[in-house]
Amino acid sequence: MVKAVVGANWGDEGKGKITDMLAQEADIIVRFQGGANAGHTIVNDYGKFALHTLPSGCFYNHTTSIIGNGVALNIPILFQEIKDIVDCGVPMPKILVSDRAQMVMPYHVLFDRYEEERLGGKSFGSTKSGIAPFYSDKYAKIGFQVSELFDEELLREKVVRICETKNVLLEHLYHKPLLDPQKLLETLHQYREMVEPYVCDVFSYLWNAIRDGKNILLEGQLGTLKDPDHGIYPMVTSSSTLAAYGAIGAGIPPYEIQKVITVCKAYSSAVGAGAFVSEIFGGEADELRKRGGDGGEYGATTGRPRRMGWFDCVASRYGCRLQGATDVAFTVLDVLGYLDEIPVCVGYEIDGEVTAEFPVTSKLEKAKPVYEVLPGWKEDIRGIRNYKDLPENCRKYVEFVESQIGFPITMVSNGPGRKDIIYR
Ligand code: GDP
């Protein structure tokens, strides 16, 4: 059985926690897109971890963690991450890296930084991890596949060819130091040495695993609204954040994905630039940011404060529909326990008309939130394990959201730990 864990919103919904939890019953966990630009925060018996590249199931002895072909693989970051968890007492995870995964090169990180600098006030708010230059090169067919590390002749020729084109931009557009092909080749040799023991024909591995009835989890990064096609383009990420892409980024037939667990946070947060209709500001936002997540809503990769907002039914319904949610995991509900009243965005007013459908970006920029205000429950709900034990207003909040988004909320998360979950 293959399940995908994906985000309905702008990312940071708590996918890491849900994956870590579901991984107890999984054999294999696969990252299928994105890179070290976003992080998953996980709290378990070993401590608190921010993972960027490793799948969130890497804390168990019984699981195999796979870096799929769709990932932007930054080899030094992957190995630093493995070292960090092993240093904290986590057993060395069993890791496989797809021979078809492509690598984030040092110059991708530089180009990301230079371009953000060049754009100045008009920048995308990139995490400068090289992800956009990486995927641009992948689709321009000038990326480096892991498999190519093992073909020395190809590598030598390609390094020279790539440096030629990159250096034109470095010299004339960015006015920065040029790349040295020999140095780049040495870096790639180091990468080869590091990754060699883990390289695998992941497609065949997963094909056989599915045939053998293994439980496989596909772990998404970010959420629907950051999808390059269906999100708030151009303020999106560079690889698809949809469960459907799980089939491509892992290398499995699409019909094998039988469950799409779509993670939806009980309020909104976003990082980077772009329209955010239910955004709140000032003291109201500061309070929610401070109380949010586990220790505040600050980026797991960058540490920057996240933008905050009320739950957005329009965006989340759209988010769940595109994911093809079979189950919704509604997370971080415990954080809202301090509020007397909780506004929920139920529509967008655009040019005097109210809509419940998520619009294209040019219209989204003009949208004003239409709120319905629900009563708060003013209680700490952490530690509750049965849905019926939640305060009445809390259940009403869950059921209101469920009726608005139109997908079953089968899990309610009321704390960061593995056990903080209520099944419905
Ligand atoms: P991801 O990228 O979707 O995995 O999300 P993040 O890791 O950025 O954000 C989720 C944050 O919320 C992390 O700090 C988690 O430990 C925390 N978290 C997850 N679920 C819950 C929950 O139900 N309650 C609380 N209070 N924190 C949670």
Side-chain angles (χ1 to χ4, degrees):
M1 156 91 95
V2 182
K3 296 180 189 173
V5 180
V6 287
N9 308 128
W10 297 264
D12 307 317
E13 297 94 346
K15 294 177 295 295
K17 176 234 159 108
I18 299 293
T19 307
D20 177 62
M21 194 187 88
L22 294 174
Q24 291 173 77
E25 280 146 37
D27 302 298
I28 299 164
I29 298 100
V30 192
R31 280 284 313 268
F32 62 86
Q33 44 92 217
N37 52 333
H40 299 284
T41 312
I42 294 159
V43 182
N44 57 30
D45 301 342
Y46 296 105
K48 183 173 175 177
F49 301 90
L51 299 182
H52 306 287
T53 301
L54 275 173
S56 300
C58 62
F59 296 97
Y60 297 98
N61 269 323
H62 67 274
T63 55
T64 299
S65 298
I66 295 187
I67 308 294
N69 56 277
V71 169
L73 172 63
N74 185 317
I75 290 185
I77 291 187
L78 171 67
F79 284 89
Q80 184 59 45
E81 228 170 274
I82 296 173
K83 182 174 179 300
D84 288 347
I85 66 165
V86 171
D87 285 352
C88 288
V90 178
M92 177 63 193
K94 187 161 181 273
I95 301 210
L96 299 175
V97 174
S98 166
D99 52 4
R100 292 178 184 274
Q102 294 201 10
M103 295 169 287
V104 176
M105 307 295 276
Y107 56 78
H108 288 139
V109 180
L110 294 175
F111 274 95
D112 204 351
R113 211 170 70 209
Y114 298 159
E115 182 62 7
E116 289 281 295
E117 271 171 35
R118 194 182 72 86
L119 291 171
K122 294 212 162 88
S123 78
F124 289 90
S126 158
T127 60
K128 303 185 190 75
S129 314
I131 304 304
F134 164 88
Y135 281 107
S136 307
D137 279 3
K138 175 170 174 175
Y139 294 110
K141 293 169 284 193
I142 51 169
F144 283 86
Q145 215 178 55
V146 165
S147 67
E148 294 175 345
L149 290 173
F150 303 94
D151 185 336
E152 185 65 17
E153 205 178 315
L154 175 148
L155 213 53
R156 280 177 187 277
E157 177 276 319
K158 195 163 169 177
V159 158
V160 172
R161 180 159 51 87
I162 302 289
C163 285
E164 265 168 23
T165 47
K166 297 293 172 198
N167 281 343
V168 174
L169 289 173
L170 287 170
E171 187 176 351
H172 298 289
L173 182 64
Y174 297 115
H175 313 292
K176 297 285 184 186
L178 303 190
L179 301 176
D180 172 2
Q182 188 52 39
K183 243 173 106 190
L184 187 59
L185 188 66
E186 283 162 24
T187 304
L188 290 174
H189 289 161
Q190 285 164 13
Y191 288 2
R192 178 171 65 202
E193 220 166 278
M194 291 163 94
V195 80
E196 188 165 12
Y198 308 100
V199 178
C200 171
D201 169 2
V202 164
F203 163 74
S204 299
Y205 183 88
L206 290 177
W207 179 265
N208 290 326
I210 291 172
R211 208 186 44 189
D212 295 343
K214 300 282 191 212
N215 286 321
I216 300 170
L217 273 185
L218 306 178
E219 181 183 17
Q221 182 214 38
L222 295 166
T224 306
L225 303 164
K226 291 282 186 182
D227 183 78
D229 286 83
H230 297 284
I232 52 170
Y233 188 84
M235 300 303 177
V236 291
T237 194
S238 306
S239 62
S240 176
T241 56
L242 301 183
Y245 190 74
I248 297 159
I252 59 169
Y255 56 77
E256 295 292 353
I257 305 175
Q258 287 167 18
K259 272 194 174 283
V260 179
I261 295 142
T262 307
V263 186
C264 216
K265 191 152 72 175
Y267 54 88
S268 300
S269 73
V271 289
F276 182 12
V277 179
S278 64
E279 184 165 14
I280 54 174
F281 302 93
E284 200 179 34
D286 292 343
E287 183 75 27
L288 184 55
R289 183 180 303 110
K290 196 176 74 200
R291 293 171 176 269
D294 179 35
E297 290 281 359
Y298 302 92
T301 302
T302 55
R304 54 186 177 176
R306 291 176 182 151
R307 298 163 68 192
M308 306 302 297
W310 301 125
F311 188 79
D312 183 337
C313 297
V314 179
S316 300
R317 183 191 306 117
Y318 176 76
C320 289
R321 284 181 180 174
L322 273 159
Q323 293 293 7
T326 57
D327 296 75
V328 173
F330 196 52
T331 56
V332 211
L333 186 61
D334 50 303
V335 161
L336 300 181
Y338 73 100
L339 292 158
D340 293 320
E341 293 185 322
I342 312 176
V344 177
C345 176
V346 293
Y348 292 170
E349 194 195 310
I350 303 169
D351 294 331
E353 277 186 39
V354 174
T355 178
E357 300 304 326
F358 194 78
V360 294
T361 308
S362 56
K363 291 193 178 148
L364 188 68
E365 308 273 3
K366 296 196 244 169
K368 303 212 167 32
V370 177
Y371 286 118
E372 211 162 294
V373 179
L374 303 191
W377 47 91
K378 303 286 282 180
E379 252 183 77
D380 182 4
I381 60 162
R382 282 214 193 171
I384 293 178
R385 295 285 174 263
N386 293 309
Y387 185 69
K388 64 174 186 3
D389 296 335
L390 287 174
E392 190 185 354
N393 283 346
C394 183
R395 279 183 277 129
K396 281 190 172 154
Y397 186 80
V398 174
E399 287 154 28
F400 179 80
V401 165
E402 185 174 54
S403 70
Q404 284 280 322
I405 60 177
F407 293 90
I409 295 176
T410 58
M411 284 169 253
V412 174
S413 173
N414 60 338
R418 271 178 193 169
K419 297 193 178 72
D420 299 320
I421 195 83
I422 299 168
Y423 291 99
R424 284 175 83 213

